[in-house]
């Protein structure tokens, strides 16, 4: 560390900032599970494989309920002052070990609402199993959601499931399917391939229920209620991803979220439903910021937007740690460089403009909630991509970084 | 002022920085006239209308000679701690008033070396007259240089000059021509139009001696020895301009110049003669920085690169004055926005890629000095423009900002 005193001073002021930051306080108290009720109220809680966007059992799998029932309180990563992680255990219908942490929001939705499951204990067990077997809870849940919809539509039979009733809402079936996926037993062997390949093997209508982008299963945010998140899903180099960019609702009104991005020159509120130029601009800037967290190895729950560590303090932190005379300008270029490199890699591997898309279901109207009926069209998405590519210095044809852009980023070797 | 104490603290540390900054100290002692010998030694001192790049009379018009002869010491703008301005007077062959300031470097070259004139007193008088008549000394000198070359080539006769001997080196003729231009008398009426129109009216070969870009006369730096400055001349929205971007020599080796641009991510030295991708990248970044001084109203002799006020202190200054939570990233966008707006304006007025060029003479080999024979080709310039446009988010066809770029810069209204 080039400047230990400087770093210590940032650390102390961050500690104070966390204590008074409403969002960090909620994270400390409830963790990400607090998002269950927020998304359900907003009508963007993926339910039964995205056929609904509100879940009648939301309260039973909410952060508040988790806290009142299975939770043993919070834990944290090393030296973290937020400590958003939950510790849970149970010895009722399922024995849930406290060793594997509690379910995050994504898991409560992927193993819960998206399967129509409102059994918190089963979800906690499913979470434990995924963590034990090193399965991603989002992809695992979405594979089971896919299977449940196929089961409902008759594309997967009781014979295929060896008698397991894959009806939406069957909590025990969810737990059992995780075991089968982990050990590639029976139908689990098919689902372990992910929804894209599974649908290809099943054939026919199955494709309609395989919700993924570039083979990556959708995370648990219905983008029909927040276009920036939708654009994330389409253009993220790793396929559908919910931590590609700060989510639209933070910037809908004058307030701390919007104020935190003023160093980026973003000064005006933008509606979550906006799909036009101002949204693309907001998305591009906040995507570069969140990608910077990936480059720096910073947690997604600590820095602005929308958390406690300001962009300027991030820059100062890098200066203190490295001793480099850096700036937000240079760090944004670092992030931009990462995006360009990932893009070039993807293009080489055959992922271009055509693959920056949504599964068909996301072009249908939002089924529930305050924005019920809200629809983004294919034209909205294609126009958004045009602008996004151009803002990134990529061509419109295939999103290929231009020669000038690569050289601006000192990536001449990628020409 | 939002934060007077913060601003005062920056001001105090700047004062200290100026005291130990070698470049600022030379500016204080000699002002910009110190560049005469630097450019002459480097073989890039425009001489006799850019037909030579070293001047045998350089020492007689140097900053050192000025200081020993006509100078009454330095003056400064309000509250400036550098005070680079000269005060001069004379009562010999010419009566030179101390009211109008001494000649800057550009004037020593435009009314001196570029006319083959080595008479410091006459130059000081010419400077006084230009300032009194509000004539730009660069354009005025270059108009006279044009006329002198036309006179030498027989395109302007003694009859045209009403008997005035316009031979290169005639100091009195220079002073007289300034009077004639100011009052549009005789040949002065033609030259008052600038070299572009004057050459069009004279016809024939005259065009070859009219050194301008977009109708703006060349400033007194031979770009054949520094390609970035050459690119400035070509792409500056206001025509050939020497304060469009920090000059190449500051970044040729590891040292304070290069270190000052590390917040821009520029970390490797680039030769002044380099015309390839690394030069275009350096130019584009430092152009945005120098254009930021225009946006902020900051003097070209105070901030990095290469002067005393660091880029981070510039950001802090803006924060203290305005109270805005800004960053170098946002300020670079402000500058980028200015460039895009100027470009759109110029395109509307008929200035596009074709007008981003050099007068033919600059494609000829550098005539004198350590880099004698050095040549930049039309291909060098065209390739440089391709890359520069792309880095700016402008198309290659005509340097038109793309839709995505305009929206990134919040310039939707210019679509």
């Amino acid at each position: 560390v080039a400047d230990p005193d400087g770093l210590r001073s940032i650390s102390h002021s961050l500690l104070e900032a966390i204590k008074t930051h409403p969002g960090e306080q909620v994270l400390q108290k409830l963790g990400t599970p607090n998002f269950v009720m927020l998304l359900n109220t907003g009508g963007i809680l993926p339910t039964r494989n995205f056929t609904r966007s509100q879940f009648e059992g939301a309260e039973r799998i909410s952060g508040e309920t988790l806290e009142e029932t299975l939770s043993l309180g919070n834990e944290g990563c090393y030296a973290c002052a937020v400590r958003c992680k939950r510790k849970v255990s149970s010895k009722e219908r399922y024995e849930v070990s406290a060793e594997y942490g509690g379910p995050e929001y994504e898991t409560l939705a992927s193993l819960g609402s998206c399967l129509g499951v409102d059994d918190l204990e089963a979800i906690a067990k499913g979470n434990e199993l995924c963590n034990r077997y090193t399965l991603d809870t989002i992809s695992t849940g979405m594979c089971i959601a896919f299977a449940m919809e196929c089961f409902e539509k008759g594309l997967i039979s009781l014979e295929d499931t060896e008698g397991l009733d894959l009806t939406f809402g069957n909590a025990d079936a969810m737990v059992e399917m995780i075991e089968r996926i982990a050990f590639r037993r029976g139908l689990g062997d098919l689902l372990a391939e992910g929804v894209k390949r599974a649908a290809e093997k099943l054939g026919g209508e199955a494709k309609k229920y395989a919700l993924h982008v570039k083979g990556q299963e959708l995370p648990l945010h219905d983008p029909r209620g927040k276009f920036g998140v939708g654009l994330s899903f389409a253009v993220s180099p790793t396929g559908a991803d919910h931590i590609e960019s700060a989510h639209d609702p933070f910037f809908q009104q004058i307030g701390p979220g919007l104020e935190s991005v003023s160093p980026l020159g973003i000064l005006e509120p933008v509606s979550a439903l906006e799909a036009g130029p101002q949204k693309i601009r907001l998305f591009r800037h906040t995507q570069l910021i969140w990608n910077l967290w990936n480059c720096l190895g910073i947690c997604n729950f600590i820095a602005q937007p929308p958390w406690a560590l300001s962009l300027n303090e991030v820059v100062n932190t890098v200066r203190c740690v490295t001793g480099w005379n850096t700036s937000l300008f240079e760090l944004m270029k670092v992030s931009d460089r990462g995006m360009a490199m990932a893009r070039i890699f993807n293009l080489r591997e055959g992922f271009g403009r055509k693959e920056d898309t949504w599964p068909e279901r996301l072009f249908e109207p939002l089924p529930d909630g305050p924005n019920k009926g809200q629809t983004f069209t294919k034209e909205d998405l294609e126009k958004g991509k045009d602008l996004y590519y151009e803002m990134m210095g990529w061509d419109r044809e295939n999103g290929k970084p231009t020669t000038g852009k690569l050289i601006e980023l000192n990536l001449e070797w990628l020409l």
Side-chain angles (χ1 to χ4, degrees), chain A:
Chain A
V1 173
D3 179 1
D5 289 342
L7 192 61
R8 210 169 287 120
S9 148
I10 294 171
S11 172
H12 287 313
S13 66
L14 174 59
L15 190 61
E16 291 309 309
I18 287 170
K19 283 183 191 161
T20 58
H21 190 287
E24 300 284 22
Q25 288 307 302
V26 173
L27 275 186
Q28 197 164 75
K29 203 174 143 222
L30 297 177
T32 59
N34 90 85
F35 295 135
V36 171
M37 290 315 293
L38 280 176
L39 270 77
N40 191 58
T41 307
I44 50 174
L45 179 69
T47 301
R48 295 187 184 82
N49 205 31
F50 286 72
T51 57
R52 312 300 308 209
S53 58
Q54 282 184 323
F55 181 41
E56 69 283 2
E59 281 189 24
R60 287 188 290 281
I61 62 168
S62 71
E64 293 77 356
T65 303
L66 184 70
E67 219 43 38
E68 288 161 12
T69 56
L70 309 183
S71 175
L72 304 173
N74 64 339
E75 290 190 317
C77 302
Y78 173 71
C80 181
V82 178
R83 299 172 62 82
C84 65
K85 197 179 160 189
R86 300 295 104 184
K87 189 168 182 166
V88 302
S89 78
S90 179
K91 290 186 192 294
E92 306 293 316
R93 226 153 47 74
Y94 286 106
E95 174 136 356
V96 179
S97 158
E99 290 295 300
Y100 293 90
E104 299 287 341
Y105 160 74
E106 294 294 320
T107 310
L108 290 163
S110 68
L111 302 182
S113 59
C114 212
L115 305 181
V117 165
D118 62 2
D119 180 336
L120 205 45
E121 201 189 357
I123 296 171
K125 184 65 191 177
N127 181 63
E128 181 211 285
L129 292 178
C130 286
N131 286 348
R132 179 183 289 169
Y133 299 144
T134 65
L135 294 174
D136 177 64
T137 59
I138 297 175
S139 285
T140 305
M142 287 299 290
C143 283
I144 300 173
F146 162 76
M148 284 182 167
E149 189 163 3
C150 287
F151 187 80
E152 183 177 279
K153 297 294 191 324
L155 295 166
I156 289 176
S157 66
L158 263 178
E159 198 178 338
D160 295 327
T161 66
E162 298 163 80
L164 187 68
D165 175 14
L166 270 187
T167 305
F168 276 118
N170 186 344
D172 295 339
M174 173 268 286
V175 175
E176 171 60 20
M177 276 312 303
I178 293 175
E179 293 280 0
R180 293 190 189 181
I181 289 170
F183 294 97
R184 304 197 73 130
R185 287 199 302 254
L187 185 66
D189 191 41
L190 178 74
L191 296 181
E193 295 286 317
V195 298
K196 180 172 180 284
R197 288 188 191 150
E200 283 161 7
K201 287 186 183 166
L202 281 175
E205 296 267 280
K207 238 178 78 180
K208 284 169 59 180
Y209 317 125
L211 304 185
H212 71 90
V213 178
K214 302 186 181 79
Q216 170 79 29
E217 289 74 16
L218 295 195
L220 285 301
H221 294 264
D222 199 315
R224 289 172 285 187
K226 36 187 182 184
F227 187 78
V229 171
L231 198 53
S232 289
F233 285 12
V235 303
S236 162
T238 52
D241 184 3
H242 62 295
I243 49 171
E244 183 73 13
S245 179
H247 289 205
D248 314 46
F250 296 122
F251 312 104
Q252 291 202 104
Q253 57 277 316
I254 306 275
L258 193 61
E259 281 159 21
S260 73
V261 288
S262 69
L264 303 178
I266 308 272
L267 306 171
E268 303 285 341
V270 185
S271 158
L273 300 181
E274 172 68 45
Q278 287 304 313
K279 173 55 60 68
I280 313 303
R281 180 168 176 262
L282 171 66
F283 168 75
R284 187 258 185 173
H285 283 76
T286 53
Q287 182 197 34
L288 285 181
I289 283 292
W290 276 35
N291 186 51
L292 180 59
W293 307 159
N294 294 339
C295 300
L296 295 175
I298 287 186
C299 172
N300 279 76
F301 292 115
I302 198 63
Q304 290 180 344
W307 309 106
L309 184 67
S310 76
L311 293 180
N312 288 307
E313 288 292 53
V314 169
V315 177
N316 288 335
T317 302
V318 177
R319 294 167 72 99
C320 288
V321 171
T322 62
W324 297 339
N325 180 21
T326 190
S327 70
L328 188 59
F329 177 84
E330 187 188 22
L331 294 182
M332 287 290 273
K333 292 287 172 205
V334 167
S335 176
D336 213 359
R337 191 175 296 132
M339 293 301 299
M341 289 170 72
R343 188 77 194 176
I344 294 276
F345 179 91
N346 271 2
L347 286 166
R348 191 190 69 186
E349 301 299 320
F351 294 91
R353 175 168 190 136
K354 204 165 73 63
E355 288 69 30
D356 290 344
T357 189
W358 289 343
E360 284 296 323
R361 181 159 287 166
L362 296 187
F363 295 112
E364 294 166 8
L366 191 63
D368 299 301
N371 297 317
K372 181 176 171 170
Q374 152 71 31
T375 314
F376 295 120
T377 64
K378 292 193 178 177
E379 200 192 348
D380 289 331
L381 182 60
E382 294 307 314
K383 277 188 170 176
K385 284 157 61 181
D386 278 344
L387 276 185
Y388 170 73
Y389 293 158
E390 270 190 2
M391 281 187 205
M392 293 298 283
W394 305 351
D395 69 27
R396 285 191 179 205
E397 289 64 39
N398 213 15
K400 187 180 170 201
T402 64
T403 303
K405 185 67 189 186
L406 289 176
I407 287 168
E408 181 205 320
L409 297 173
N410 229 356
L411 291 175
E412 225 182 321
W413 61 280
L414 280 180
L415 283 175

